[in-house]
């Protein structure tokens, strides 16, 4: 169920279509790795995408971010291929006060917490999961602000290695982060991030257009999400 930002981007690109195609609903049976309990999970067998909001949220024929299955009782995210040692650590984790404190957070926020505590996943996964968590709480300003703070801190502290290996993706994520800051009302911080990003993005026409749009929204004091494809 885990996917790095790069892999997610490639998947979205592979699913793009010239015309919108409806998502295909499907119900699958999923097993909780902690208890062995099976439960039904509603998802999609296929979908199309045709763009992203300025903060990275895909626009397409399904609900984004994609839902992740969670164990019915503990809400533990269903992770694949956990080792016996990781399963034991996960079973212990869900009994801790720390887990109880975040159990009812947005699913991708909980996923970021679990992966961090278990020490699993790629280095970019905490950022990617926190970014998706911000998409889930756009209509909850106080929670959004808290998630944005954690996302920016995680990204700024740990993105150097990712940047050296994936410079194109790094620039796009940097633009997403700038818009998370803008949507949290942190216009000065967002503008400063764009100031540093723009000289590095001059050869990417699509990204430059998004930067210009973001600057316009900052100048207007506009903190609402924005879709370049829809123009709103």
């Amino acid at each position: 169920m885990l996917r790095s930002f790069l892999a997610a981007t490639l998947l979205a690109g592979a699913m793009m279509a010239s015309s919108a195609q409806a998502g295909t609903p499907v119900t699958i049976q999923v097993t909780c790795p902690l208890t062995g309990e099976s439960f039904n999970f509603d998802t999609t067998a296929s979908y199309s995408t045709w763009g992203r909001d300025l903060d990275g949220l895909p626009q397409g024929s399904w609900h984004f971010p994609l839902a992740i299955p969670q164990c019915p009782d503990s809400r533990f995210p269903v992770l694949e291929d956990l080792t016996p040692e990781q399963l034991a650590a996960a079973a212990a984790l869900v009994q801790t006060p720390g887990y109880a404190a975040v159990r009812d957070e947005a699913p991708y926020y909980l996923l970021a917490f679990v992966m961090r505590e278990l020490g699993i996943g790629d280095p970019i996964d905490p950022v990617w999961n926190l970014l998706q968590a911000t998409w889930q709480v756009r209509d909850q300003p106080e929670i959004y602000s808290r998630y944005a703070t954690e996302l920016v801190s995680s990204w700024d502290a740990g993105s150097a290695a990712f940047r050296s290996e994936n410079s194109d993706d790094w620039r796009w994520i940097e633009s997403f982060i700038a818009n998370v800051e803008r949507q949290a009302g942190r216009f000065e911080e967002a503008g400063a991030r764009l100031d540093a990003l723009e000289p590095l993005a001059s050869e990417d026409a699509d990204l430059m257009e998004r930067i210009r749009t973001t600057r316009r929204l900052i100048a207007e004091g506009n903190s609402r999400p924005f879709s370049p494809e829809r123009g709103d």
Side-chain angles (χ1 to χ4, degrees):
M1 294 297 173
L2 305 181
R3 183 175 293 116
S4 70
F5 172 81
L6 181 58
T9 302
L10 291 174
L11 177 63
M15 289 185 171
M16 282 191 179
S18 58
S19 60
Q21 298 176 1
T24 305
V26 62
T27 298
I28 62 174
Q29 191 170 73
V30 180
T31 300
C32 174
L34 302 184
T35 65
E37 177 185 3
S38 295
F39 60 96
N40 290 334
F41 174 66
D42 295 328
T43 184
T44 178
S46 64
Y47 62 88
S48 299
T49 62
W50 47 79
R52 288 182 182 270
D53 287 1
L54 290 178
D55 67 350
L57 175 67
Q59 293 295 320
S61 61
W62 195 247
H63 313 291
F64 298 98
L66 295 174
I68 54 177
Q70 295 175 278
C71 297
D73 293 330
S74 65
R75 300 198 70 199
F76 186 84
V78 175
L79 304 175
E80 297 176 342
D81 302 322
L82 292 177
T83 67
E85 293 76 16
Q86 290 168 341
L87 282 171
L93 176 63
V94 299
Q95 302 301 320
T96 64
Y99 185 88
V102 299
R103 177 186 179 278
D104 294 323
E105 297 280 0
Y108 276 95
Y109 186 94
L110 179 59
L111 177 61
F113 172 84
V114 166
M115 292 180 65
R116 181 174 65 249
E117 292 298 308
L118 296 183
I120 60 178
D122 297 326
I124 194 60
D125 282 336
V127 168
W128 181 230
N129 290 328
L130 285 172
L131 177 61
Q132 292 179 95
T134 66
W135 302 341
Q136 294 181 306
V137 297
R138 279 175 161 188
D139 60 346
Q140 302 174 68
E142 291 186 4
I143 298 176
Y144 188 93
S145 180
R146 175 163 57 86
Y147 286 12
T149 296
E150 293 191 37
L151 170 61
V152 170
S153 177
S154 179
W155 173 246
D156 288 345
S159 66
F162 182 80
R163 178 180 182 179
S164 67
E165 297 175 1
N166 306 276
S167 58
D168 289 343
D169 283 337
W170 179 89
R171 286 190 289 270
W172 277 83
I173 300 176
E174 187 78 345
S175 76
F176 300 161
I177 300 294
N179 275 281
V180 169
E181 291 176 317
R182 176 185 64 78
Q183 290 166 197
R186 302 168 191 172
F187 300 120
E188 184 175 348
E189 291 90 336
R193 191 175 298 275
L194 295 179
D195 289 343
L197 172 62
E198 189 166 354
L200 306 175
S202 59
E203 296 183 3
D204 188 329
D206 290 340
L207 182 54
M208 286 298 295
E209 181 60 30
R210 294 172 77 93
I211 290 173
R212 285 190 289 270
T213 300
T214 304
R215 288 196 184 280
R216 174 176 61 80
L217 295 172
I218 291 172
E220 295 171 353
N222 187 337
S223 61
R224 296 191 301 273
F226 188 90
S227 168
E229 286 73 29
R230 294 196 311 266
D232 62 6

